[in-house]
Amino acid sequence: MNKIVKYIIGIIAVVVILLQFMGPDAPDNRENNPDDLLMNTQVDAEVAGLLRASCYDCHSMETKYPWYSKISPVSGFLFDHIEEGRDELNFSNWQTYEKRRKLRKLKEIQEEIEEGEMPMKSYTLVHGEARLSDSQKELIINWAKDYSKKVFSE
Amino acid sequence: MKKISLLILVAGFMFIGINQAQAQKEEAKVLLVPQNDTETVFAYPISVVNVINNKCLGCHSPSGKSDDAKEDLMWEKLQGMDPADMVAVLDEIIEVLEEGKMPPKKIVAKYPHLKMSDEETTILKSWAEMTSNNLMGE
């Protein structure tokens, strides 16, 4: 093999190894979540299962970190998504949201799913189980619609 | 009966507000048109109309150039909405104001007169909070 190619591979290997020590920390999980949506409201079991499988990794304090989350620089992207996702919508903090924020998040959930924006494509690429079929999408959208009516009239 | 008289009052307020704003700022396209046939009419006091006119309608109205901005918020469409949806939009308006996200920094850097003053932020935010509470019957 060409000497230069060897050097380059060597340098890349060293950088990747070094990155493993300098990578960012994973956003913390939380064990007790008394304000969680599913702990406080009666959500149809199927819908609850879908939310857990397709959304909770990024939108709750109960992220299940996959093996590749230990590997930098992939982990960096992942952690950013989780932080940003939790910031936008955190099912673990649901009860702390004001009524108007709940209404907004329920509306956004319908929009994001309808437009196929959520769950994120980069995520379902690896997590096949998080992909939503059309009928599953409809289930979540209808749940969000009904629940939003309930929240509004509370 | 109470509802109807409230509607008339509200529509009246809006009419005055819109006329005043138009008189003050000819070039602005005022689109906050009263809709008497819905239950979801609400009042825009003159002070609020002025802020919206001066700081928002450049983008969040049909003549705006950014499709993203129009997709996210069109002031004129707010009142025809379902009350729960309206509250959702108001919540976003409140958050954006709290975080100082609008008008976008880039735009403000280019057009400094579009910067929201503290007073304007307060006017718009208190109105959005009040309106959203009213809509939710609180």
Side-chain angles (χ1 to χ4, degrees):
Chain A
M1 215 193 299
N2 189 316
K3 227 179 187 171
I4 294 175
V5 175
K6 266 188 196 160
Y7 272 128
I8 291 174
I9 292 174
I11 289 168
I12 291 174
V14 168
V15 167
V16 168
I17 289 167
L18 280 178
L19 274 176
Q20 303 318 308
F21 295 100
M22 320 190 317
D25 290 331
D28 286 332
N29 272 337
R30 203 169 57 204
E31 220 161 278
N32 287 319
N33 297 297
D35 291 321
D36 186 87
L37 168 78
L38 302 175
M39 299 271 277
N40 289 279
T41 47
Q42 288 252 310
V43 180
D44 173 78
E46 201 174 346
V47 173
L50 291 175
L51 293 178
R52 274 202 183 281
S54 303
C55 320
Y56 262 56
D57 270 351
C58 300
H59 293 292
S60 83
M61 303 305 283
E62 300 176 60
T63 306
K64 292 195 188 73
Y65 286 104
W67 60 269
Y68 59 81
S69 70
K70 306 269 189 305
I71 299 167
S72 188
V74 180
S75 54
F77 293 110
L78 193 77
F79 299 162
D80 281 351
H81 284 161
I82 293 167
E83 243 151 41
E84 231 186 296
R86 285 177 176 179
D87 198 43
E88 284 285 336
L89 168 67
N90 195 331
F91 286 119
S92 302
N93 295 342
W94 185 255
Q95 290 301 92
T96 67
Y97 288 161
E98 283 181 75
K99 185 169 164 178
R100 59 166 202 260
R101 186 124 316 159
K102 287 181 182 161
L103 291 169
R104 169 166 147 223
K105 292 301 155 188
L106 289 169
K107 186 174 172 226
E108 286 176 357
I109 288 171
Q110 296 169 49
E111 288 166 357
E112 293 295 308
I113 291 182
E114 228 152 62
E115 290 161 12
E117 299 279 342
M118 290 285 150
M120 288 177 74
K121 292 223 173 59
S122 59
Y123 177 78
T124 50
L125 215 61
V126 186
H127 295 258
E129 78 284 356
R131 235 168 274 158
L132 297 171
S133 70
D134 285 349
S135 62
Q136 288 172 329
K137 285 183 191 169
E138 215 178 301
L139 266 179
I140 301 181
I141 291 171
N142 287 338
W143 161 76
K145 261 186 204 147
D146 289 346
Y147 182 42
S148 154
K149 282 193 194 114
K150 218 170 124 202
V151 170
F152 187 72
S153 61
E154 254 166 23
Chain B
M1 195 51 221
K2 209 170 140 209
K3 216 171 220 168
I4 293 176
S5 49
L6 192 73
L7 271 180
I8 293 171
L9 193 72
V10 161
F13 259 117
M14 289 170 65
F15 188 72
I16 296 169
I18 287 159
N19 277 336
Q20 287 256 343
Q22 231 152 9
Q24 280 180 11
K25 219 170 177 285
E26 263 308 310
E27 78 275 20
K29 294 164 198 71
V30 183
L31 296 148
L32 310 173
V33 184
Q35 294 192 343
N36 295 325
D37 56 343
T38 77
E39 290 193 343
T40 53
V41 168
F42 45 76
Y44 291 99
I46 296 162
S47 55
V48 172
V49 170
N50 283 341
V51 177
I52 295 172
N53 241 332
N54 294 337
K55 305 289 155 95
C56 319
L57 288 189
C59 294
H60 296 286
S61 69
S63 56
K65 285 200 186 83
S66 154
D67 287 338
D68 279 348
K70 289 193 273 190
E71 199 182 300
D72 281 346
L73 171 69
M74 283 272 236
W75 281 96
E76 56 161 326
K77 285 197 181 152
L78 194 55
Q79 34 204 327
M81 283 177 151
D82 179 72
D85 287 345
M86 228 190 267
V87 170
V89 175
L90 290 167
D91 181 70
E92 188 155 18
I93 290 170
I94 293 163
E95 190 181 87
V96 159
L97 290 171
E98 276 168 355
E99 295 176 357
K101 283 194 175 158
M102 284 288 150
K105 283 211 174 68
K106 261 194 208 157
I107 304 277
V108 172
K110 214 164 148 194
Y111 308 100
H113 69 280
L114 287 178
K115 189 174 163 51
M116 294 281 282
S117 69
D118 289 347
E119 196 197 347
E120 287 172 320
T121 303
T122 308
I123 289 172
L124 198 52
K125 193 174 150 235
S126 346
W127 169 81
E129 282 167 346
M130 189 194 71
T131 306
S132 115
N133 288 342
N134 285 346
L135 285 165
M136 296 187 296
E138 279 174 4

PDB file of all heavy atoms in Angstrom, chain B residues 97-126:
ATOM      1  N   LEU B  97     -42.022  35.352  21.928  1.00  0.00           N
ATOM      2  CA  LEU B  97     -41.796  36.660  22.538  1.00  0.00           C
ATOM      3  C   LEU B  97     -40.914  36.537  23.773  1.00  0.00           C
ATOM      4  O   LEU B  97     -40.019  37.342  23.996  1.00  0.00           O
ATOM      5  CB  LEU B  97     -43.131  37.312  22.913  1.00  0.00           C
ATOM      6  CG  LEU B  97     -44.001  37.773  21.730  1.00  0.00           C
ATOM      7  CD1 LEU B  97     -45.372  38.180  22.221  1.00  0.00           C
ATOM      8  CD2 LEU B  97     -43.331  38.913  20.975  1.00  0.00           C
ATOM      9  N   GLU B  98     -41.178  35.485  24.570  1.00  0.00           N
ATOM     10  CA  GLU B  98     -40.373  35.280  25.778  1.00  0.00           C
ATOM     11  C   GLU B  98     -38.910  35.057  25.418  1.00  0.00           C
ATOM     12  O   GLU B  98     -38.009  35.505  26.121  1.00  0.00           O
ATOM     13  CB  GLU B  98     -40.897  34.071  26.567  1.00  0.00           C
ATOM     14  CG  GLU B  98     -42.064  34.420  27.473  1.00  0.00           C
ATOM     15  CD  GLU B  98     -42.773  33.200  28.043  1.00  0.00           C
ATOM     16  OE1 GLU B  98     -42.424  32.069  27.654  1.00  0.00           O
ATOM     17  OE2 GLU B  98     -43.688  33.399  28.861  1.00  0.00           O
ATOM     18  N   GLU B  99     -38.701  34.342  24.344  1.00  0.00           N
ATOM     19  CA  GLU B  99     -37.324  34.019  23.965  1.00  0.00           C
ATOM     20  C   GLU B  99     -36.701  35.057  23.039  1.00  0.00           C
ATOM     21  O   GLU B  99     -35.554  34.901  22.610  1.00  0.00           O
ATOM     22  CB  GLU B  99     -37.288  32.621  23.328  1.00  0.00           C
ATOM     23  CG  GLU B  99     -37.668  31.541  24.336  1.00  0.00           C
ATOM     24  CD  GLU B  99     -37.744  30.147  23.733  1.00  0.00           C
ATOM     25  OE1 GLU B  99     -37.560  30.014  22.511  1.00  0.00           O
ATOM     26  OE2 GLU B  99     -37.990  29.206  24.504  1.00  0.00           O
ATOM     27  N   GLY B 100     -37.478  36.086  22.723  1.00  0.00           N
ATOM     28  CA  GLY B 100     -36.955  37.153  21.865  1.00  0.00           C
ATOM     29  C   GLY B 100     -36.563  36.688  20.479  1.00  0.00           C
ATOM     30  O   GLY B 100     -35.606  37.183  19.896  1.00  0.00           O
ATOM     31  N   LYS B 101     -37.307  35.736  19.953  1.00  0.00           N
ATOM     32  CA  LYS B 101     -36.906  35.126  18.672  1.00  0.00           C
ATOM     33  C   LYS B 101     -37.418  35.850  17.432  1.00  0.00           C
ATOM     34  O   LYS B 101     -36.994  35.559  16.324  1.00  0.00           O
ATOM     35  CB  LYS B 101     -37.386  33.680  18.629  1.00  0.00           C
ATOM     36  CG  LYS B 101     -36.521  32.757  19.459  1.00  0.00           C
ATOM     37  CD  LYS B 101     -36.819  31.322  19.118  1.00  0.00           C
ATOM     38  CE  LYS B 101     -35.893  30.371  19.838  1.00  0.00           C
ATOM     39  NZ  LYS B 101     -36.480  29.035  19.941  1.00  0.00           N
ATOM     40  N   MET B 102     -38.379  36.748  17.638  1.00  0.00           N
ATOM     41  CA  MET B 102     -38.949  37.444  16.475  1.00  0.00           C
ATOM     42  C   MET B 102     -38.956  38.953  16.707  1.00  0.00           C
ATOM     43  O   MET B 102     -39.160  39.384  17.833  1.00  0.00           O
ATOM     44  CB  MET B 102     -40.383  36.971  16.234  1.00  0.00           C
ATOM     45  CG  MET B 102     -40.501  35.608  15.602  1.00  0.00           C
ATOM     46  SD  MET B 102     -40.024  35.623  13.875  1.00  0.00           S
ATOM     47  CE  MET B 102     -39.407  33.959  13.661  1.00  0.00           C
ATOM     48  N   PRO B 103     -38.831  39.732  15.635  1.00  0.00           N
ATOM     49  CA  PRO B 103     -38.387  39.324  14.306  1.00  0.00           C
ATOM     50  C   PRO B 103     -36.982  38.717  14.377  1.00  0.00           C
ATOM     51  O   PRO B 103     -36.222  39.051  15.289  1.00  0.00           O
ATOM     52  CB  PRO B 103     -38.375  40.636  13.512  1.00  0.00           C
ATOM     53  CG  PRO B 103     -39.246  41.578  14.254  1.00  0.00           C
ATOM     54  CD  PRO B 103     -39.173  41.166  15.688  1.00  0.00           C
ATOM     55  N   PRO B 104     -36.630  37.856  13.423  1.00  0.00           N
ATOM     56  CA  PRO B 104     -35.342  37.152  13.489  1.00  0.00           C
ATOM     57  C   PRO B 104     -34.170  38.125  13.574  1.00  0.00           C
ATOM     58  O   PRO B 104     -34.226  39.211  12.996  1.00  0.00           O
ATOM     59  CB  PRO B 104     -35.302  36.380  12.168  1.00  0.00           C
ATOM     60  CG  PRO B 104     -36.706  36.301  11.704  1.00  0.00           C
ATOM     61  CD  PRO B 104     -37.397  37.516  12.219  1.00  0.00           C
ATOM     62  N   LYS B 105     -33.140  37.699  14.291  1.00  0.00           N
ATOM     63  CA  LYS B 105     -31.958  38.562  14.509  1.00  0.00           C
ATOM     64  C   LYS B 105     -31.398  39.110  13.200  1.00  0.00           C
ATOM     65  O   LYS B 105     -31.042  40.275  13.098  1.00  0.00           O
ATOM     66  CB  LYS B 105     -30.867  37.762  15.241  1.00  0.00           C
ATOM     67  CG  LYS B 105     -31.144  37.597  16.711  1.00  0.00           C
ATOM     68  CD  LYS B 105     -29.853  37.522  17.538  1.00  0.00           C
ATOM     69  CE  LYS B 105     -30.173  37.500  19.010  1.00  0.00           C
ATOM     70  NZ  LYS B 105     -30.860  36.227  19.415  1.00  0.00           N
ATOM     71  N   LYS B 106     -31.318  38.254  12.201  1.00  0.00           N
ATOM     72  CA  LYS B 106     -30.765  38.654  10.901  1.00  0.00           C
ATOM     73  C   LYS B 106     -31.537  39.821  10.308  1.00  0.00           C
ATOM     74  O   LYS B 106     -30.953  40.762   9.773  1.00  0.00           O
ATOM     75  CB  LYS B 106     -30.859  37.471   9.926  1.00  0.00           C
ATOM     76  CG  LYS B 106     -29.582  36.699   9.780  1.00  0.00           C
ATOM     77  CD  LYS B 106     -29.703  35.800   8.538  1.00  0.00           C
ATOM     78  CE  LYS B 106     -28.858  34.561   8.669  1.00  0.00           C
ATOM     79  NZ  LYS B 106     -29.347  33.472   7.816  1.00  0.00           N
ATOM     80  N   ILE B 107     -32.856  39.697  10.397  1.00  0.00           N
ATOM     81  CA  ILE B 107     -33.714  40.742   9.837  1.00  0.00           C
ATOM     82  C   ILE B 107     -33.530  42.042  10.612  1.00  0.00           C
ATOM     83  O   ILE B 107     -33.432  43.127  10.028  1.00  0.00           O
ATOM     84  CB  ILE B 107     -35.196  40.307   9.903  1.00  0.00           C
ATOM     85  CG1 ILE B 107     -35.406  38.967   9.197  1.00  0.00           C
ATOM     86  CG2 ILE B 107     -36.120  41.398   9.379  1.00  0.00           C
ATOM     87  CD1 ILE B 107     -35.569  39.047   7.711  1.00  0.00           C
ATOM     88  N   VAL B 108     -33.461  41.904  11.942  1.00  0.00           N
ATOM     89  CA  VAL B 108     -33.312  43.095  12.773  1.00  0.00           C
ATOM     90  C   VAL B 108     -31.972  43.779  12.507  1.00  0.00           C
ATOM     91  O   VAL B 108     -31.872  45.006  12.508  1.00  0.00           O
ATOM     92  CB  VAL B 108     -33.472  42.737  14.272  1.00  0.00           C
ATOM     93  CG1 VAL B 108     -33.129  43.917  15.156  1.00  0.00           C
ATOM     94  CG2 VAL B 108     -34.891  42.257  14.547  1.00  0.00           C
ATOM     95  N   ALA B 109     -30.944  42.959  12.253  1.00  0.00           N
ATOM     96  CA  ALA B 109     -29.630  43.533  11.966  1.00  0.00           C
ATOM     97  C   ALA B 109     -29.699  44.381  10.695  1.00  0.00           C
ATOM     98  O   ALA B 109     -29.060  45.425  10.589  1.00  0.00           O
ATOM     99  CB  ALA B 109     -28.603  42.411  11.806  1.00  0.00           C
ATOM    100  N   LYS B 110     -30.501  43.943   9.758  1.00  0.00           N
ATOM    101  CA  LYS B 110     -30.630  44.647   8.491  1.00  0.00           C
ATOM    102  C   LYS B 110     -31.601  45.822   8.593  1.00  0.00           C
ATOM    103  O   LYS B 110     -31.381  46.878   7.999  1.00  0.00           O
ATOM    104  CB  LYS B 110     -31.138  43.653   7.436  1.00  0.00           C
ATOM    105  CG  LYS B 110     -30.589  43.909   6.057  1.00  0.00           C
ATOM    106  CD  LYS B 110     -30.810  42.668   5.182  1.00  0.00           C
ATOM    107  CE  LYS B 110     -31.035  43.030   3.731  1.00  0.00           C
ATOM    108  NZ  LYS B 110     -31.569  41.878   2.976  1.00  0.00           N
ATOM    109  N   TYR B 111     -32.672  45.599   9.317  1.00  0.00           N
ATOM    110  CA  TYR B 111     -33.698  46.649   9.482  1.00  0.00           C
ATOM    111  C   TYR B 111     -33.914  46.921  10.979  1.00  0.00           C
ATOM    112  O   TYR B 111     -34.855  46.388  11.566  1.00  0.00           O
ATOM    113  CB  TYR B 111     -35.031  46.230   8.861  1.00  0.00           C
ATOM    114  CG  TYR B 111     -34.924  45.777   7.431  1.00  0.00           C
ATOM    115  CD1 TYR B 111     -34.895  44.413   7.128  1.00  0.00           C
ATOM    116  CD2 TYR B 111     -34.881  46.692   6.388  1.00  0.00           C
ATOM    117  CE1 TYR B 111     -34.804  43.977   5.814  1.00  0.00           C
ATOM    118  CE2 TYR B 111     -34.791  46.273   5.072  1.00  0.00           C
ATOM    119  CZ  TYR B 111     -34.751  44.904   4.784  1.00  0.00           C
ATOM    120  OH  TYR B 111     -34.664  44.480   3.494  1.00  0.00           O
ATOM    121  N   PRO B 112     -33.042  47.755  11.555  1.00  0.00           N
ATOM    122  CA  PRO B 112     -33.084  47.948  13.018  1.00  0.00           C
ATOM    123  C   PRO B 112     -34.450  48.440  13.523  1.00  0.00           C
ATOM    124  O   PRO B 112     -34.803  48.181  14.665  1.00  0.00           O
ATOM    125  CB  PRO B 112     -32.001  49.007  13.261  1.00  0.00           C
ATOM    126  CG  PRO B 112     -31.118  48.935  12.060  1.00  0.00           C
ATOM    127  CD  PRO B 112     -31.976  48.513  10.910  1.00  0.00           C
ATOM    128  N   HIS B 113     -35.205  49.118  12.674  1.00  0.00           N
ATOM    129  CA  HIS B 113     -36.493  49.626  13.163  1.00  0.00           C
ATOM    130  C   HIS B 113     -37.486  48.499  13.443  1.00  0.00           C
ATOM    131  O   HIS B 113     -38.527  48.716  14.051  1.00  0.00           O
ATOM    132  CB  HIS B 113     -37.102  50.618  12.155  1.00  0.00           C
ATOM    133  CG  HIS B 113     -37.553  49.975  10.888  1.00  0.00           C
ATOM    134  ND1 HIS B 113     -36.679  49.643   9.878  1.00  0.00           N
ATOM    135  CD2 HIS B 113     -38.776  49.591  10.467  1.00  0.00           C
ATOM    136  CE1 HIS B 113     -37.353  49.077   8.885  1.00  0.00           C
ATOM    137  NE2 HIS B 113     -38.625  49.040   9.218  1.00  0.00           N
ATOM    138  N   LEU B 114     -37.167  47.286  13.026  1.00  0.00           N
ATOM    139  CA  LEU B 114     -38.074  46.163  13.290  1.00  0.00           C
ATOM    140  C   LEU B 114     -37.857  45.528  14.661  1.00  0.00           C
ATOM    141  O   LEU B 114     -38.584  44.631  15.070  1.00  0.00           O
ATOM    142  CB  LEU B 114     -37.922  45.086  12.211  1.00  0.00           C
ATOM    143  CG  LEU B 114     -38.510  45.439  10.845  1.00  0.00           C
ATOM    144  CD1 LEU B 114     -38.261  44.326   9.843  1.00  0.00           C
ATOM    145  CD2 LEU B 114     -40.007  45.717  10.949  1.00  0.00           C
ATOM    146  N   LYS B 115     -36.838  45.990  15.369  1.00  0.00           N
ATOM    147  CA  LYS B 115     -36.584  45.416  16.696  1.00  0.00           C
ATOM    148  C   LYS B 115     -37.760  45.686  17.630  1.00  0.00           C
ATOM    149  O   LYS B 115     -38.276  46.803  17.683  1.00  0.00           O
ATOM    150  CB  LYS B 115     -35.310  46.018  17.282  1.00  0.00           C
ATOM    151  CG  LYS B 115     -34.855  45.340  18.554  1.00  0.00           C
ATOM    152  CD  LYS B 115     -33.511  45.906  19.000  1.00  0.00           C
ATOM    153  CE  LYS B 115     -33.208  45.584  20.452  1.00  0.00           C
ATOM    154  NZ  LYS B 115     -33.358  44.170  20.796  1.00  0.00           N
ATOM    155  N   MET B 116     -38.182  44.659  18.371  1.00  0.00           N
ATOM    156  CA  MET B 116     -39.263  44.823  19.340  1.00  0.00           C
ATOM    157  C   MET B 116     -38.729  45.576  20.554  1.00  0.00           C
ATOM    158  O   MET B 116     -37.719  45.183  21.124  1.00  0.00           O
ATOM    159  CB  MET B 116     -39.759  43.456  19.832  1.00  0.00           C
ATOM    160  CG  MET B 116     -40.429  42.597  18.795  1.00  0.00           C
ATOM    161  SD  MET B 116     -42.138  43.083  18.492  1.00  0.00           S
ATOM    162  CE  MET B 116     -42.983  42.370  19.895  1.00  0.00           C
ATOM    163  N   SER B 117     -39.421  46.620  20.965  1.00  0.00           N
ATOM    164  CA  SER B 117     -39.049  47.265  22.220  1.00  0.00           C
ATOM    165  C   SER B 117     -39.645  46.441  23.356  1.00  0.00           C
ATOM    166  O   SER B 117     -40.539  45.623  23.135  1.00  0.00           O
ATOM    167  CB  SER B 117     -39.607  48.686  22.266  1.00  0.00           C
ATOM    168  OG  SER B 117     -41.019  48.644  22.384  1.00  0.00           O
ATOM    169  N   ASP B 118     -39.146  46.655  24.575  1.00  0.00           N
ATOM    170  CA  ASP B 118     -39.697  45.926  25.720  1.00  0.00           C
ATOM    171  C   ASP B 118     -41.183  46.201  25.858  1.00  0.00           C
ATOM    172  O   ASP B 118     -41.973  45.316  26.196  1.00  0.00           O
ATOM    173  CB  ASP B 118     -38.976  46.345  27.012  1.00  0.00           C
ATOM    174  CG  ASP B 118     -37.548  45.809  27.022  1.00  0.00           C
ATOM    175  OD1 ASP B 118     -37.237  44.952  26.177  1.00  0.00           O
ATOM    176  OD2 ASP B 118     -36.761  46.274  27.864  1.00  0.00           O
ATOM    177  N   GLU B 119     -41.542  47.440  25.593  1.00  0.00           N
ATOM    178  CA  GLU B 119     -42.945  47.805  25.740  1.00  0.00           C
ATOM    179  C   GLU B 119     -43.812  47.034  24.742  1.00  0.00           C
ATOM    180  O   GLU B 119     -44.866  46.510  25.082  1.00  0.00           O
ATOM    181  CB  GLU B 119     -43.098  49.319  25.530  1.00  0.00           C
ATOM    182  CG  GLU B 119     -44.414  49.850  26.026  1.00  0.00           C
ATOM    183  CD  GLU B 119     -44.716  51.237  25.457  1.00  0.00           C
ATOM    184  OE1 GLU B 119     -43.803  51.860  24.898  1.00  0.00           O
ATOM    185  OE2 GLU B 119     -45.876  51.653  25.562  1.00  0.00           O
ATOM    186  N   GLU B 120     -43.344  46.973  23.512  1.00  0.00           N
ATOM    187  CA  GLU B 120     -44.102  46.245  22.481  1.00  0.00           C
ATOM    188  C   GLU B 120     -44.234  44.766  22.826  1.00  0.00           C
ATOM    189  O   GLU B 120     -45.290  44.164  22.644  1.00  0.00           O
ATOM    190  CB  GLU B 120     -43.419  46.410  21.121  1.00  0.00           C
ATOM    191  CG  GLU B 120     -43.595  47.788  20.525  1.00  0.00           C
ATOM    192  CD  GLU B 120     -42.751  47.983  19.267  1.00  0.00           C
ATOM    193  OE1 GLU B 120     -41.595  47.507  19.241  1.00  0.00           O
ATOM    194  OE2 GLU B 120     -43.247  48.611  18.337  1.00  0.00           O
ATOM    195  N   THR B 121     -43.127  44.204  23.318  1.00  0.00           N
ATOM    196  CA  THR B 121     -43.168  42.792  23.704  1.00  0.00           C
ATOM    197  C   THR B 121     -44.228  42.583  24.783  1.00  0.00           C
ATOM    198  O   THR B 121     -45.019  41.638  24.712  1.00  0.00           O
ATOM    199  CB  THR B 121     -41.786  42.343  24.231  1.00  0.00           C
ATOM    200  OG1 THR B 121     -40.814  42.595  23.214  1.00  0.00           O
ATOM    201  CG2 THR B 121     -41.780  40.878  24.584  1.00  0.00           C
ATOM    202  N   THR B 122     -44.232  43.464  25.769  1.00  0.00           N
ATOM    203  CA  THR B 122     -45.205  43.337  26.857  1.00  0.00           C
ATOM    204  C   THR B 122     -46.630  43.466  26.340  1.00  0.00           C
ATOM    205  O   THR B 122     -47.508  42.686  26.719  1.00  0.00           O
ATOM    206  CB  THR B 122     -44.945  44.426  27.926  1.00  0.00           C
ATOM    207  OG1 THR B 122     -43.567  44.360  28.282  1.00  0.00           O
ATOM    208  CG2 THR B 122     -45.808  44.215  29.143  1.00  0.00           C
ATOM    209  N   ILE B 123     -46.850  44.430  25.477  1.00  0.00           N
ATOM    210  CA  ILE B 123     -48.207  44.646  24.946  1.00  0.00           C
ATOM    211  C   ILE B 123     -48.713  43.394  24.246  1.00  0.00           C
ATOM    212  O   ILE B 123     -49.805  42.894  24.527  1.00  0.00           O
ATOM    213  CB  ILE B 123     -48.218  45.839  23.957  1.00  0.00           C
ATOM    214  CG1 ILE B 123     -48.025  47.161  24.704  1.00  0.00           C
ATOM    215  CG2 ILE B 123     -49.523  45.874  23.157  1.00  0.00           C
ATOM    216  CD1 ILE B 123     -47.834  48.363  23.791  1.00  0.00           C
ATOM    217  N   LEU B 124     -47.892  42.866  23.366  1.00  0.00           N
ATOM    218  CA  LEU B 124     -48.319  41.729  22.564  1.00  0.00           C
ATOM    219  C   LEU B 124     -48.457  40.470  23.418  1.00  0.00           C
ATOM    220  O   LEU B 124     -49.406  39.702  23.277  1.00  0.00           O
ATOM    221  CB  LEU B 124     -47.313  41.503  21.422  1.00  0.00           C
ATOM    222  CG  LEU B 124     -47.777  40.653  20.250  1.00  0.00           C
ATOM    223  CD1 LEU B 124     -49.100  41.148  19.706  1.00  0.00           C
ATOM    224  CD2 LEU B 124     -46.729  40.644  19.141  1.00  0.00           C
ATOM    225  N   LYS B 125     -47.497  40.301  24.328  1.00  0.00           N
ATOM    226  CA  LYS B 125     -47.503  39.092  25.150  1.00  0.00           C
ATOM    227  C   LYS B 125     -48.688  39.084  26.114  1.00  0.00           C
ATOM    228  O   LYS B 125     -49.370  38.066  26.253  1.00  0.00           O
ATOM    229  CB  LYS B 125     -46.186  38.982  25.920  1.00  0.00           C
ATOM    230  CG  LYS B 125     -45.979  37.635  26.535  1.00  0.00           C
ATOM    231  CD  LYS B 125     -44.608  37.512  27.173  1.00  0.00           C
ATOM    232  CE  LYS B 125     -44.695  36.557  28.331  1.00  0.00           C
ATOM    233  NZ  LYS B 125     -44.232  37.077  29.592  1.00  0.00           N
ATOM    234  N   SER B 126     -48.938  40.206  26.757  1.00  0.00           N
ATOM    235  CA  SER B 126     -50.079  40.209  27.700  1.00  0.00           C
ATOM    236  C   SER B 126     -51.378  39.992  26.955  1.00  0.00           C
ATOM    237  O   SER B 126     -52.284  39.321  27.447  1.00  0.00           O
ATOM    238  CB  SER B 126     -50.201  41.494  28.524  1.00  0.00           C
ATOM    239  OG  SER B 126     -49.067  42.263  28.451  1.00  0.00           O
TER     240      SER B 126
END
